[in-house]
Amino acid sequence: MHLILNHMVQYSRRLDDSFGALADPTRRGILTRLGRGDAAISELADEFDMTLTGIKKHVRVLEAAGLVVTRKIGRVRQCRLGSQRLDDETAWIAEYRRMLESRLDSLGEFLERTREEQ
Amino acid sequence: MHLILNHMVQYSRRLDDSFGALADPTRRGILTRLGRGDAAISELADEFDMTLTGIKKHVRVLEAAGLVVTRKIGRVRQCRLGSQRLDDETAWIAEYRRMLESRLDSLGEFLERTREEQ
């Protein structure tokens, strides 16, 4: 029981981290940029017209969510996409959409019945 | 051109709002709860063992993202799921997964070539 609870808490924290990481246009931009190829922090700062400190903050959030991996090569910190495939996030949203659909269906049936009764 | 930019900014703000709304366990819990049926703010406060003020804050974030709609009936504020189907969010994540896959593919090919060359 404790193990299951622990697993659920970790699952929930991962969703917090990843949805939180995606809730910012610069962070989504960095992910799209890294999809075209790896980049140093300084390159990202240039391309997004941000200070090194600003970019580093965003990269740290992406790193905590497993979306980006960084590696120091000499004096340069290189960024690449992590292995987080957003499987759980995809599943959560798909489940939400199914639930919403069934809510709308029952609302539709209710309206239908109400109309027939009139 | 201005129209397109405007559209892109609005699209981006919607993603900020919805991903931000999903980045919290209580807010995801409220959505799942409303999937089973509408509820008053006070019922949600009871079920999530939170103050009315705390629940109202979360509901406001969900409302801003279009995920929840509230309606005042007498003295009770009733909550139900909104019509936000998370289409753009689903598309964004799907595109990210495609991109990540193709990055992993090219990394795999690179490693393959390096091995053949040895």
Side-chain angles (χ1 to χ4, degrees):
Chain A
M1 189 57 194
H2 180 254
L3 260 173
I4 295 176
L5 259 178
N6 207 17
H7 178 80
M8 279 174 61
V9 168
Q10 282 178 7
Y11 164 80
S12 182
R13 286 213 187 117
R14 278 202 310 275
L15 290 185
D16 295 353
D17 287 349
S18 47
F19 282 135
L22 297 180
D24 180 276
T26 306
R27 288 199 290 268
R28 290 193 301 274
I30 292 174
L31 291 177
T32 308
R33 166 60 185 81
L34 296 179
R36 290 199 300 276
D38 301 352
I41 295 273
S42 55
E43 289 175 78
L44 294 176
D46 263 4
E47 291 176 30
F48 287 89
D49 201 16
M50 268 200 155
T51 60
L52 284 176
T53 317
I55 283 287
K56 272 181 196 162
K57 263 189 208 163
H58 283 309
V59 167
R60 227 171 287 138
V61 174
L62 292 166
E63 233 181 334
L67 290 160
V68 163
V69 176
T70 72
R71 199 162 61 112
K72 195 134 190 180
I73 307 178
R75 297 168 123 215
V76 175
R77 183 164 291 279
Q78 199 73 8
C79 308
R80 61 174 176 79
L81 292 183
S83 56
Q84 229 280 44
R85 293 162 37 89
L86 298 173
D87 288 333
D88 289 336
E89 294 70 17
T90 304
W92 195 94
I93 291 183
E95 177 55 32
Y96 181 72
R97 286 157 66 94
R98 265 193 300 275
M99 194 176 70
L100 184 61
E101 207 114 322
S102 91
R103 283 297 292 161
L104 294 177
D105 281 354
S106 33
L107 186 65
E109 279 164 30
F110 171 75
L111 292 175
E112 197 68 28
R113 269 203 313 277
T114 318
R115 204 184 312 154
E116 279 166 13
E117 281 163 10
Q118 278 173 349
Chain B
M1 186 59 192
H2 180 254
L3 261 173
I4 296 176
L5 259 178
N6 208 16
H7 179 80
M8 280 174 62
V9 167
Q10 282 178 6
Y11 163 80
S12 183
R13 285 212 187 118
R14 278 203 310 275
L15 289 185
D16 295 354
D17 287 349
S18 47
F19 282 136
L22 297 180
D24 180 276
T26 306
R27 290 199 291 267
R28 290 193 301 275
I30 292 175
L31 292 176
T32 308
R33 165 61 185 79
L34 296 178
R36 290 199 300 273
D38 302 351
I41 295 273
S42 54
E43 291 175 77
L44 294 176
D46 263 3
E47 292 177 28
F48 288 89
D49 200 15
M50 267 198 157
T51 61
L52 283 175
T53 318
I55 282 288
K56 271 182 197 162
K57 263 189 206 163
H58 282 309
V59 167
R60 227 170 289 138
V61 174
L62 291 166
E63 233 181 335
L67 290 161
V68 164
V69 176
T70 73
R71 198 162 61 112
K72 194 133 192 184
I73 307 178
R75 299 169 121 212
V76 175
R77 183 163 290 280
Q78 198 74 7
C79 307
R80 61 173 176 80
L81 292 184
S83 55
Q84 228 281 44
R85 293 162 37 89
L86 298 174
D87 288 334
D88 289 337
E89 294 69 16
T90 304
W92 195 94
I93 291 183
E95 177 55 32
Y96 181 72
R97 285 158 68 92
R98 265 193 298 276
M99 194 177 68
L100 183 61
E101 207 114 324
S102 89
R103 283 297 293 160
L104 293 178
D105 282 353
S106 36
L107 185 66
E109 279 164 31
F110 171 76
L111 292 176
E112 197 70 30
R113 267 205 313 278
T114 317
R115 206 184 307 155
E116 280 166 13
E117 281 164 11
Q118 279 173 347

